[in-house]
Amino acid sequence: MAVVESVVEILLQKLADPLVEEAFFLHGVHNQVEWLEEEFKQMQCFLKDADAKQERDGRVKNWMRNVRDAAYDAEDIIDTLVSKTELLRQRGFVGRIRRCAFIFNELIARHKVSSEIEWIKIKIQTISESRLAYGIENIGQGAGTSSTGLRHQDWRLTSLAQEPDFVGFEKDFEILVSRLMDGGLHGCVVSVVGMGGLGKTTLTKKVYNDTRVKTQFHSCAWISISQEYDVKDLLQNIINCYMVLSKEELKKVQKMNVFQLRHKISEFLQERRYLMVLDDIWTIETWDALKDAFPDMNNGSRIMLTTRNKDVALHADAQSTPYELRFLETDESWELFHRKVFAGQDTGCPRDLEKLGKEIVEKCHGLPLAIILMGGLLSMKEPREWENVCETISWQFVKGQPQISRILSLSYRDLPYHLKPCFLYLGIFPKDYEFRAKKLIRLWAAEGLLQQRGDDTLEEMGEDYLNELIQRSMIQVDNRSSSRGIKSCRIHDLLQDLSISEAKEDKFFQVHRENMNSPFTSAARRLAIYRNALSKCTSLKSSTPLRSVLIHTTTEYGSLRRKEEKFLYRGFKLLRVLDLQNVAIKNLPSEIGALIHLRYLGLTKTWLKRLPSSLGNLHNLQTLIVTTHNDVLNIPSAIEKMQQLRHVQVYNAYETYYECCGVIEGHPRLDEISNLQTLSYVRTSEWMCGCLGKLVNLRKLGICLDLEGAYAEVLFESIVKLDCLQSLTVTANKLASNFPFPHLLKLSKLRLVGELEKLPESAEFPTNLTNLTLLLSHLKQDPLATLEKLKNLRILRLLWSSYQGKEMACAAQGFPRLESLHLQGLHQLEEWRVEKGAMPTLLHLQINECSNLKILPEGLKHMTTLKKLELLYMPNKFKERLREDNGEDWHKIHHIPSIDIC
């Protein structure tokens, strides 16, 4: 019942909405609803005390369950009333009802609405009376359930959580490295086995990234395997890890069957000494489905896997003894705990806390995940609160819960009430799912889980919430952006199991899998559908109070049947989130316009050419994301009425990471949608000239120019007014060379696609630019002479004919902060010179399909920071110079830990 406070908070926010108040007035129930609001505010005062008592007193837990159900019932009535009001508005009846104010026509009778509210009032009165009997006290209105001593942190001003500390496995690390480096030429599997939370993935990742290992193998790849895996999807992921594919090649791969995919991988790995890591394999069947993709060429190639099941490891290679991880010793446990709690502090653990701290660590029984979670929890608390934490663990130990469950549960219970539903939400995604931070935050916003605070946007609040969950070690950071922001995250399997268990208890969501026989719980508010289980859910009645439907399929589901369309678009009028991932719909029916509560609409891997005009009825929609196999998507002008829109993104379904295909067509005017933060990719229209600058909250803009001369100049004058702009993509057949962008101080990411007569001067680029991509620029002059002067540039991509000259040069001290350089499709390039001292911070260099480049620059041998070098699809003569034994250029790169040549 841990999310009850959040449920009540969301209800109270809804009751204060002016549109909701209008619906109450029209139905003549305003006074009754005011009474409900006051009662729920009173209940809110007692929830903190009830939450603290519920685990020890079943009656209190039942009381909180009743509060939750009453709040859900009230929310259902409110949303239904708002739906009816909007329907009348669309039919032109609202004005007449304002004058009459006594009837709902045939749709709903006033006495029915009143009776439903009276029924809830009776429930609330019973709840209030029982509270007195259970001794639940008022200990602070609106207080969260976490520690009152929680230290305030401004997450945007502090450094993000560090990578997991590596303690106690130094010997294990060396043993595993030696197994991979073993001179034996016969291929084998190296397995790491142990229970969840022991650190299998952390240890294996450290081994995988070791300099010696990276040098040993020509090609390295890592994939994580979910329990809800799809063989075809896994094989496609392996291909994407090993190979860099063009758009056309990617299309071919996506059409291949499992046999063809295995053959393509096996063919690629022939004659290569490769390392393949399969993280978190659950079953023997998974191994059997993948093994034929990995050839044994007797050249020292290795497959490394992690698993909780020793039988899987023995089945994969009976000749290779699985490496079983142990629990940490007492001193190792204390060191790990100390690093987590007192990170960055010189003083270390105070003497008066050391005994208590060691007692807490002892109760973690050497399990790294438990220690890290406890460290994350206590790092957020004042010293006086440590004793209470220790006592709580002791009490739960008496209760007899498994060791890890005690720690996980305590970490969850300690979360502030506003973070609990955000954590539970992570259980909706499949296991081992890499979720994009931006998408997660937008889903939180759509669900009403983010509370407005001052002038902060919902997105900024979401970033704060995400960072605090990371600080508490409840979420693991997977990737970061060039600006060091969080790009993607994961959640540990055990923590996800906890979220699913708690969510079921709270009716928060339910997962439906293809092979599940258990029925759907009709009271669950959200439904996650994995793989091809959609057809099994169509029997759900429209009276089911669903607020969200999220479909996660790893491969394209195929066209929806009529029954499934009816289920999604007609059955549930109160939906706030509809996210269809890989559902290949060809038409979006007009019935979508009836889902007036919808705030998030995600349609990926579709075949859509246009969206219906009824989309304009979705006045609450915040996020619209569409990927389509078609080149364009026609958006109706009715979108102008959607004033709550914050993010509009249209992509091509085959889009690679550097292209910007997928263009919004139609001529909707968006300049009056003041909340808009994301708009990509859109074809220019006349309204943009002079009006685009009115979108003052725009953070990301992707635009396809088909305007020339004076129109283009006026358009750029509008873009210059977008002071909040952080990311800009401009596509055109021909681009002007005098972009007036230096005054956009927040612009950090810029992509220019199209012919440039010459590059703008370095002073004309945004001052804080960190990420730059040039594509099809056809530059004749060396671009590095200009770009190396950009002091904050961290990522540079020069792609496909961006430069058509024969020579490039990097001067000493050039590119002072560059970390990643990607050169691809520069077919005229013959010579590249790098002076000593250039690119002093470079970590990653990729050269791909530069067919006339003869040799690598001599200056690479001075780049001691370079960790990864990828040379892909280069000429044979070029690759021969890089042979480890007698290659003429080997001395330039032998110090680089990871070298991938293919």
Side-chain angles (χ1 to χ4, degrees):
M1 297 303 107
V3 299
V4 177
E5 288 170 282
S6 178
V7 172
V8 172
E9 178 66 28
I10 291 172
L11 173 63
L12 291 173
Q13 289 180 9
K14 184 166 293 188
L15 288 169
D17 190 314
L19 294 177
V20 173
E21 291 181 350
E22 179 188 29
F24 297 153
F25 173 77
L26 293 175
H27 301 324
V29 293
H30 192 269
N31 292 335
Q32 290 170 292
V33 174
E34 279 188 344
W35 184 91
L36 285 181
E37 185 175 9
E38 289 302 315
E39 285 297 311
F40 276 110
K41 283 182 179 179
Q42 288 297 316
M43 284 185 190
Q44 197 178 31
C45 301
F46 299 93
L47 288 174
K48 181 180 179 183
D49 186 45
D51 187 74
K53 294 178 178 179
Q54 65 166 321
E55 290 299 323
R56 306 187 191 192
D57 191 333
R59 299 175 305 165
V60 176
K61 190 171 187 176
N62 190 61
W63 182 84
M64 293 192 73
R65 183 181 291 113
N66 290 336
V67 173
R68 178 206 62 199
D69 290 345
Y72 279 157
D73 290 339
E75 185 182 36
D76 290 343
I77 291 175
I78 292 166
D79 287 346
T80 300
L81 290 180
V82 172
S83 295
K84 301 297 185 182
T85 304
E86 181 59 27
L87 182 61
L88 292 170
R89 186 193 307 279
Q90 293 173 15
R91 295 181 178 180
F93 290 134
V94 169
R96 184 155 36 126
I97 289 181
R98 283 184 187 277
R99 294 189 295 270
C100 299
F102 68 87
I103 196 168
F104 249 69
N105 286 339
E106 73 280 6
L107 296 177
I108 191 169
R110 175 176 171 178
H111 75 272
K112 182 179 179 182
V113 180
S114 298
S115 64
E116 288 177 340
I117 296 179
E118 285 297 328
W119 174 68
I120 294 179
K121 287 176 67 175
I122 293 172
K123 289 181 66 173
I124 290 174
Q125 289 169 343
T126 303
I127 292 170
S128 297
E129 292 170 2
S130 61
R131 175 184 57 77
L132 297 174
Y134 302 154
I136 302 171
E137 301 175 358
N138 180 351
I139 54 177
Q141 181 171 355
T145 55
S146 70
S147 163
T148 55
L150 183 65
R151 294 189 288 272
H152 171 75
Q153 299 197 37
D154 185 344
W155 299 107
R156 289 186 295 278
L157 296 179
T158 58
S159 61
L160 298 173
Q162 301 298 311
E163 298 302 321
D165 286 298
F166 188 76
V167 175
F169 293 115
E170 291 80 6
K171 183 178 178 181
D172 308 82
F173 167 73
E174 290 298 335
I175 291 174
L176 288 172
V177 169
S178 67
R179 285 198 181 186
L180 293 181
M181 302 287 291
D182 188 353
L185 295 180
H186 200 65
C188 71
V189 176
V190 178
S191 302
V192 182
V193 178
M195 70 170 285
L198 266 180
K200 299 184 297 297
T201 298
T202 300
L203 174 60
T204 303
K205 187 162 287 187
K206 187 171 179 65
V207 171
Y208 177 80
N209 290 323
D210 184 70
T211 302
R212 294 164 292 175
V213 172
K214 290 294 187 179
T215 305
Q216 175 80 359
F217 298 97
H218 301 145
S219 299
C220 301
W222 175 300
I223 64 167
S224 298
I225 302 175
S226 168
Q227 282 181 287
E228 296 296 325
Y229 72 91
D230 179 89
V231 175
K232 183 177 179 181
D233 187 60
L234 288 179
L235 293 170
Q236 288 177 344
N237 286 343
I238 293 171
I239 288 175
N240 289 331
C241 287
Y242 277 128
M243 310 174 205
V244 178
L245 302 176
S246 66
K247 185 176 179 180
E248 291 70 26
E249 291 171 326
L250 184 60
K251 287 181 180 180
K252 292 179 182 178
V253 166
Q254 291 184 338
K255 293 178 181 179
M256 290 180 179
N257 58 33
V258 170
F259 176 81
Q260 292 170 323
L261 291 169
R262 281 197 290 243
H263 178 72
K264 185 174 181 64
I265 295 170
S266 179
E267 187 178 46
F268 176 82
L269 294 177
Q270 297 287 336
E271 307 301 331
R272 285 185 171 84
R273 188 165 60 246
Y274 66 87
L275 172 62
M276 180 74 246
V277 178
L278 305 174
D279 183 37
D280 206 14
I281 288 189
W282 288 79
T283 66
I284 289 173
E285 291 74 21
T286 308
W287 168 257
D288 287 342
L290 298 175
K291 64 180 181 180
D292 290 342
F294 309 120
D296 182 2
M297 301 305 298
N298 296 329
N299 63 357
S301 294
R302 296 288 184 267
I303 300 170
M304 197 172 187
L305 61 85
T306 69
T307 182
R308 302 183 195 185
N309 189 341
K310 189 175 180 180
D311 289 341
V312 173
L314 291 171
H315 177 79
D317 191 341
Q319 304 302 314
S320 178
T321 304
Y323 194 83
E324 299 185 57
L325 284 192
R326 60 180 177 83
F327 291 91
L328 295 179
E329 301 291 344
T330 301
D331 57 339
E332 295 168 337
S333 298
W334 175 249
E335 182 183 352
L336 178 59
F337 175 81
H338 190 275
R339 288 190 188 183
K340 184 64 184 176
V341 179
F342 304 104
Q345 298 182 27
D346 298 329
T347 56
C349 181
R351 283 190 175 182
D352 58 333
L353 288 179
E354 188 169 330
K355 181 179 179 181
L356 196 58
K358 289 185 176 180
E359 186 177 346
I360 292 172
V361 169
E362 184 180 355
K363 293 174 181 179
C364 295
H365 298 277
L367 190 68
L369 176 62
I371 296 167
I372 288 171
L373 284 172
M374 289 307 303
L377 187 156
L378 292 171
S379 70
M380 309 293 291
K381 289 188 174 294
E382 299 293 343
R384 57 186 170 81
E385 298 177 276
W386 282 36
E387 187 171 355
N388 181 58
V389 171
C390 188
E391 290 176 355
T392 303
I393 299 176
S394 299
W395 170 77
Q396 290 188 341
F397 178 75
V398 172
K399 189 178 179 182
Q401 291 183 335
Q403 298 167 359
I404 185 62
S405 297
R406 298 198 310 272
I407 304 300
L408 298 181
S409 179
L410 180 58
S411 297
Y412 171 66
R413 297 290 173 192
D414 188 74
L415 290 175
Y417 77 86
H418 63 273
L419 286 183
K420 287 176 179 173
C422 293
F423 170 76
L424 292 190
Y425 207 85
L426 302 175
I428 285 180
F429 302 105
K431 286 198 173 182
D432 293 311
Y433 184 83
E434 180 184 350
F435 47 85
R436 306 284 291 185
K438 286 184 178 179
K439 177 176 180 176
L440 178 64
I441 290 170
R442 291 169 187 176
L443 286 169
W444 282 347
E447 298 279 9
L449 303 182
L450 303 179
Q451 300 173 13
Q452 196 69 49
R453 180 185 65 191
D455 295 331
D456 288 342
T457 65
L458 289 176
E459 289 74 14
E460 288 169 337
M461 289 302 304
E463 290 174 7
D464 288 355
Y465 286 18
L466 187 60
N467 279 316
E468 186 169 353
L469 287 170
I470 292 168
Q471 179 70 17
R472 290 170 174 269
S473 299
M474 304 295 277
I475 296 179
Q476 305 164 359
V477 176
D478 217 31
N479 287 300
R480 300 186 187 276
S481 66
S482 59
S483 59
R484 299 297 186 270
I486 303 167
K487 197 170 184 178
S488 61
C489 300
R490 293 182 190 270
I491 179 173
H492 192 282
D493 285 352
L494 294 179
L495 286 168
Q496 188 173 39
D497 289 340
L498 172 69
S499 71
I500 293 173
S501 174
E502 293 286 344
K504 185 176 181 180
E505 175 75 14
D506 279 319
K507 299 180 181 179
F508 191 75
F509 69 79
Q510 183 168 336
V511 171
H512 203 93
R513 299 180 177 89
E514 189 175 22
N515 56 355
M516 282 181 59
N517 295 318
S518 58
F520 177 76
T521 303
S522 60
R525 312 295 280 186
R526 298 164 184 87
L527 176 61
I529 303 173
Y530 294 168
R531 297 182 68 186
N532 296 331
L534 177 59
S535 60
K536 294 186 177 182
C537 299
T538 55
S539 59
L540 284 177
K541 297 179 180 179
S542 58
S543 58
T544 303
L546 278 179
R547 290 303 191 277
S548 302
V549 174
L550 300 95
I551 298 179
H552 297 284
T553 63
T554 51
T555 55
E556 287 190 19
Y557 179 77
S559 299
L560 292 176
R561 292 183 284 272
R562 187 61 181 165
K563 187 177 181 181
E564 293 167 339
E565 284 190 348
K566 184 177 180 181
F567 165 79
L568 290 173
Y569 306 131
R570 297 181 183 178
F572 307 101
K573 302 300 184 183
L574 305 183
L575 282 184
R576 287 192 290 246
V577 169
L578 182 58
D579 187 26
L580 309 183
Q581 182 171 300
N582 285 345
V583 180
I585 57 176
K586 295 182 179 179
N587 295 291
L588 191 64
S590 60
E591 287 90 344
I592 192 73
L595 304 180
I596 63 147
H597 294 281
L598 209 60
R599 298 182 182 179
Y600 184 102
L601 179 58
L603 307 167
T604 65
K605 297 293 180 72
T606 73
W607 291 89
L608 291 171
K609 293 182 179 179
R610 61 182 58 83
L611 299 178
S613 59
S614 63
L615 198 74
N617 296 333
L618 307 182
H619 297 301
N620 293 302
L621 196 68
Q622 298 173 353
T623 299
L624 173 63
I625 298 179
V626 183
T627 63
T628 176
H629 291 278
N630 293 300
D631 293 332
V632 296
L633 179 72
N634 191 281
I635 298 241
S637 58
I639 197 175
E640 303 166 10
K641 299 184 291 185
M642 300 161 66
Q643 290 298 307
Q644 298 303 314
L645 268 178
R646 308 170 76 86
H647 308 283
V648 178
Q649 293 180 260
V650 175
Y651 299 97
N652 184 276
Y654 291 123
E655 180 187 5
T656 58
Y657 71 94
Y658 57 81
E659 293 182 287
C660 49
C661 305
V663 178
I664 298 172
E665 278 201 335
H667 300 283
R669 290 186 62 92
L670 303 176
D671 51 303
E672 296 299 328
I673 305 179
S674 59
N675 290 318
L676 202 62
Q677 296 183 23
T678 305
L679 178 59
S680 63
Y681 293 97
V682 60
R683 194 179 301 279
T684 49
S685 301
E686 288 191 13
W687 72 266
M688 294 182 181
C689 299
C691 295
L692 187 63
K694 294 168 65 176
L695 298 176
V696 294
N697 289 309
L698 209 59
R699 266 78 168 168
K700 179 177 180 179
L701 174 63
I703 192 166
C704 181
L705 292 177
D706 52 11
L707 302 173
E708 297 180 357
Y711 283 114
E713 291 182 12
V714 174
L715 178 63
F716 285 131
E717 289 174 3
S718 292
I719 293 177
V720 170
K721 298 176 183 177
L722 303 176
D723 293 333
C724 294
L725 201 63
Q726 299 169 2
S727 173
L728 174 63
T729 297
V730 182
T731 303
N733 290 329
K734 191 168 186 177
L735 294 167
S737 299
N738 55 338
F739 285 177
F741 297 147
H743 304 298
L744 295 178
L745 299 181
K746 294 184 178 180
L747 186 59
S748 62
K749 185 175 182 179
L750 179 63
R751 295 197 291 180
L752 303 177
V753 183
E755 185 176 352
L756 275 167
E757 185 176 341
K758 69 180 187 66
L759 269 183
E761 297 298 324
S762 58
E764 295 180 282
F765 281 95
T767 306
N768 295 308
L769 190 67
T770 62
N771 190 325
L772 175 64
T773 298
L774 298 179
L775 176 64
L776 303 175
S777 307
H778 300 290
L779 292 167
K780 302 297 189 297
Q781 297 178 337
D782 182 0
L784 301 188
T786 297
L787 300 179
E788 67 183 5
K789 300 174 185 176
L790 302 180
K791 297 181 179 180
N792 293 307
L793 195 64
R794 292 196 181 102
I795 297 175
L796 173 61
R797 300 186 183 98
L798 300 178
L799 309 174
W800 298 110
S801 302
S802 56
Y803 174 53
Q804 294 187 317
K806 294 183 178 182
E807 298 180 1
M808 287 198 315
C810 295
Q813 312 308 319
F815 294 108
R817 300 185 67 181
L818 195 68
E819 297 175 1
S820 178
L821 176 60
H822 182 181
L823 309 176
Q824 181 172 1
L826 308 184
H827 293 296
Q828 281 73 39
L829 183 63
E830 297 179 3
E831 182 181 1
W832 177 30
R833 297 183 302 278
V834 176
E835 294 184 10
K836 183 178 180 180
M839 297 183 280
T841 61
L842 193 67
L843 300 172
H844 178 207
L845 171 62
Q846 182 183 115
I847 305 176
N848 186 358
E849 295 190 72
C850 295
S851 54
N852 282 308
L853 186 62
K854 294 180 173 56
I855 61 173
L856 283 175
E858 190 74 22
L860 289 186
K861 67 182 181 182
H862 303 298
M863 294 186 184
T864 57
T865 60
L866 196 55
K867 302 298 182 185
K868 185 174 184 179
L869 172 63
E870 294 178 283
L871 302 170
L872 311 176
Y873 303 108
M874 298 296 288
N876 289 330
K877 288 184 179 180
F878 182 91
K879 291 190 285 188
E880 287 174 5
R881 298 178 61 91
L882 301 172
R883 284 202 302 264
E884 186 173 344
D885 48 357
N886 58 359
E888 298 173 67
D889 288 346
W890 177 249
H891 71 283
K892 303 175 184 177
I893 63 172
H894 69 88
H895 64 287
I896 302 173
S898 176
I899 301 174
D900 192 358
I901 303 174
C902 69

